[in-house]
Amino acid sequence: SNTATSSNPLPDDPEVRRLSKELFTKLSEYMNSEVSASTHEYQLLGKLNLVVANKYKGMQERAARLNTFLRDLDDKYKHLEPYLKQIDKLHDNVTKLEDVVIKLDQYTKSLERQFKQVYK
């Protein structure tokens, strides 16, 4: 029984205490580095969130300016719409007038031919 206890180190053994202390020191260093890495990751995520938030804020401002521009453009179109309708009507009337002029020209040429035949 004495040989079994002498081959197993006892907690009072200085080597066990040294190894235990080294184990806890290494474990503490490992845990500190893990916490430090996690802290850095959270800080990086925080910075990324700020960058993304600023980017979206800029996009929101551009969208608001674009919306204002489109609203102004729509108001201008509504203001011009009666004039545009008048222009369309005028265009239609000019087209009809051109058709009448062409028919009148054809009729005049026909009359001229008839006149020339009669007075030959």
Side-chain angles (χ1 to χ4, degrees):
S1 172
N2 223 358
T3 55
T5 56
S6 64
S7 66
N8 291 331
L10 297 174
D12 290 338
D13 187 338
E15 183 64 15
V16 170
R17 280 194 297 252
R18 185 188 69 73
L19 291 174
S20 294
K21 183 176 180 181
E22 185 178 335
L23 171 71
F24 285 115
T25 301
K26 300 282 184 189
L27 187 59
S28 175
E29 289 172 359
Y30 171 76
M31 294 302 288
N32 283 333
S33 68
E34 285 292 316
V35 169
S36 178
S38 294
T39 301
H40 290 306
E41 288 175 1
Y42 283 119
Q43 288 172 347
L44 180 61
L45 282 174
K47 289 177 184 177
L48 287 172
N49 281 338
L50 286 175
V51 168
V52 169
N54 287 333
K55 181 172 179 134
Y56 282 120
K57 183 179 179 188
M59 290 172 67
Q60 180 184 16
E61 290 169 357
R62 283 188 292 258
R65 285 193 306 268
L66 181 61
N67 190 29
T68 301
F69 171 76
L70 290 174
R71 202 174 315 117
D72 291 345
L73 192 61
D74 189 51
D75 290 344
K76 288 176 184 175
Y77 177 78
K78 286 177 183 174
H79 178 73
L80 290 175
E81 192 172 20
Y83 301 107
L84 294 173
K85 286 182 180 180
Q86 288 177 2
I87 290 170
D88 286 342
K89 283 182 183 179
L90 184 60
H91 179 264
D92 291 343
N93 288 336
V94 167
T95 302
K96 289 176 185 176
L97 186 60
E98 286 174 345
D99 289 343
V100 168
V101 167
I102 290 170
K103 288 178 183 176
L104 185 61
D105 186 50
Q106 290 171 349
Y107 180 72
T108 304
K109 287 178 182 176
S110 172
L111 279 178
E112 184 181 359
R113 281 192 301 273
Q114 289 176 11
F115 182 77
K116 285 180 178 180
Q117 285 178 358
V118 169
Y119 288 103
K120 269 188 168 180

